[in-house]
Amino acid sequence: MKPAAFHYERPHDVAEVLDLLAEHGDEAKILAGGQSLVPMMNFRLARPEVIIDIGVVPGLDHLVTHEEYVAIGTRVRHIELEQPATDGPLGSILADAARHVGHLPIRLRGTFGGSIAHADPAAEWCLLAQTLNADVVVASTRGERMIAAADLFQSAFVTSIADDELLTQVRLPCLDSDWKTGFSEFSRRAGDFAVVAVASAVRLVDGRIAEARIGAAGVGAIPVRLSQTEMMLVGHPLGPETIDAASEVAGGEVDPRGDIHGSADYRRDLVRALTRRALS
Ligand SMILES: Cc1cc2nc3c(=O)[nH]c(=O)nc-3n(C[C@H](O)[C@H](O)[C@H](O)COP(=O)(O)OP(=O)(O)OC[C@H]3O[C@@H](n4cnc5c(N)ncnc54)[C@H](O)[C@@H]3O)c2cc1C
């Protein structure tokens, strides 16, 4: 199918993007990698009147490690994160997750920020943003603001980014070598969206877990933190008994709905299995 007619804009800097967003508001859509927007337009699920292509806008494809966080420019492609983009556990969990994002052509074109803005409930980057306490930087002609991941994802495909705002950067807190990360996903076929995915990051001090961040995707409209599992883990060594107990708590605290890809019970079982794998 072909999309409905639209007006195409190709701005040359961020200021021009923001002016266009201010002018057109909810009639406009940002075009990043196009791997979600274009299929939606072709199926007439989206009918924007104006497309604002950010493909040549400078300053949106940086990957910079700061002392406290790694800044990922919105237009960084999925593929760029397949090799560790930063040292240590954060680089390795990004690389683990990147390999699960779609197929190679999608990873070559799709962007990190586009995935976050699109907010698919099964998206790997949304899960990592939620699990690792990311901050999302957005800009408009009204100024710049930062949104914590916990406040970003409102519902499936709905975020708190306003119609006139451009997501410019995602900040992921650095994880030093005390952290151990894991990512585990189940999908029907390689390259499909996850049925369920689990991400984990635990900080070990003297052999015991001092801090835990566990998240799951595919169990609701947005990626969720498994707070009971996180609390249960703290104070324990990261051994087989703790991991078994944590996976049971994880399976018990999610409340997924069944659909054509799996019943609620099946998804709960997946959470158990994937939590075990992510922590192991
Ligand atoms: C067959 C197939 C399989 C896929 N499998 C997976 C998968 O397994 N996991 C996964 O996570 N994704 C998957 N995807 C989606 C893919 O990752 C997309 O690249 C991603 O969801 C959107 O990124 P994009 O750069 O292509 O954004 P676009 O498609 O260009 O935009 C998506 C939406 O975000 C908005 N947007 C984009 N950038 C910004 C910005 N900077 N500021 C504000 N709004 C913005 C757009 O206006 C649009 O509404 C798949 C896609 C296909 C076609």
Side-chain angles (χ1 to χ4, degrees):
M1 283 177 71
K2 296 275 181 280
F6 57 87
H7 180 73
Y8 177 79
E9 294 279 1
R10 195 167 168 84
H12 288 86
D13 58 34
V14 168
E16 213 185 318
V17 176
L18 303 187
D19 285 342
L20 286 164
L21 284 171
E23 184 184 343
H24 298 290
D26 65 359
E27 291 172 354
K29 280 277 181 206
I30 297 288
L31 175 69
Q35 299 303 295
S36 295
L37 181 60
V38 172
M40 287 178 70
M41 289 171 66
N42 286 345
F43 284 112
R44 308 283 171 112
L45 296 170
R47 299 175 76 119
E49 288 179 18
V50 181
I51 285 293
I52 305 171
D53 182 351
I54 57 169
V56 296
V57 175
L60 297 178
D61 54 4
H62 52 280
L63 241 174
V64 184
T65 302
H66 297 269
E67 200 172 326
E68 301 275 308
Y69 63 88
V70 172
I72 303 179
T74 191
R75 218 181 49 223
V76 167
R77 313 270 172 193
H78 306 317
I79 193 117
E80 292 173 63
L81 298 162
E82 268 189 38
Q83 298 303 321
T86 184
D87 290 339
L90 180 58
S92 74
I93 195 173
L94 283 166
D96 287 345
R99 295 184 200 112
H100 290 281
V101 180
H103 311 275
L104 181 63
I106 289 150
R107 294 200 293 276
L108 282 165
R109 292 215 58 80
T111 66
F112 192 88
S115 174
I116 300 279
H118 188 56
D120 189 297
E124 288 81 5
W125 298 142
C126 299
L127 170 59
L128 283 201
Q130 186 76 292
T131 306
L132 301 178
N133 296 335
D135 287 313
V136 170
V137 183
V138 296
S140 70
T141 52
R142 295 171 286 123
E144 194 175 80
R145 68 183 178 120
M146 202 144 72
I147 311 172
D151 301 322
L152 179 74
F153 302 111
Q154 306 284 298
S155 185
F157 307 106
V158 181
T159 69
S160 49
I161 301 172
D163 289 329
D164 66 342
E165 286 178 323
L166 173 73
L167 189 164
T168 55
Q169 183 186 94
V170 179
R171 296 179 180 179
L172 287 167
C174 291
L175 301 174
D176 65 26
S177 57
D178 292 343
W179 287 87
K180 183 178 180 303
T181 55
F183 188 91
S184 195
E185 166 169 330
F186 177 78
S187 58
R188 293 261 166 210
R189 299 167 304 185
D192 281 359
F193 273 100
V195 177
V196 172
V198 171
S200 69
V202 293
R203 186 163 65 86
L204 293 164
V205 176
D206 298 331
R208 289 183 182 270
I209 298 166
E211 207 177 326
R213 300 176 192 164
I214 316 287
V219 294
I222 61 170
V224 291
R225 287 287 283 273
L226 305 184
S227 53
Q228 292 172 31
T229 312
E230 292 176 351
M231 276 189 289
M232 178 253 125
L233 282 164
V234 172
H236 293 278
L238 188 61
E241 280 177 23
T242 306
I243 292 173
D244 278 352
S247 70
E248 284 307 314
V249 175
E253 75 169 294
V254 293
D255 187 19
R257 281 205 196 149
D259 63 15
I260 53 163
H261 301 296
S263 66
D265 282 344
Y266 181 63
R267 283 175 194 266
R268 224 174 277 118
D269 274 349
L270 280 175
V271 170
R272 285 190 191 96
L274 297 174
T275 300
R276 187 176 292 115
R277 284 182 209 164
L279 286 170
S280 294

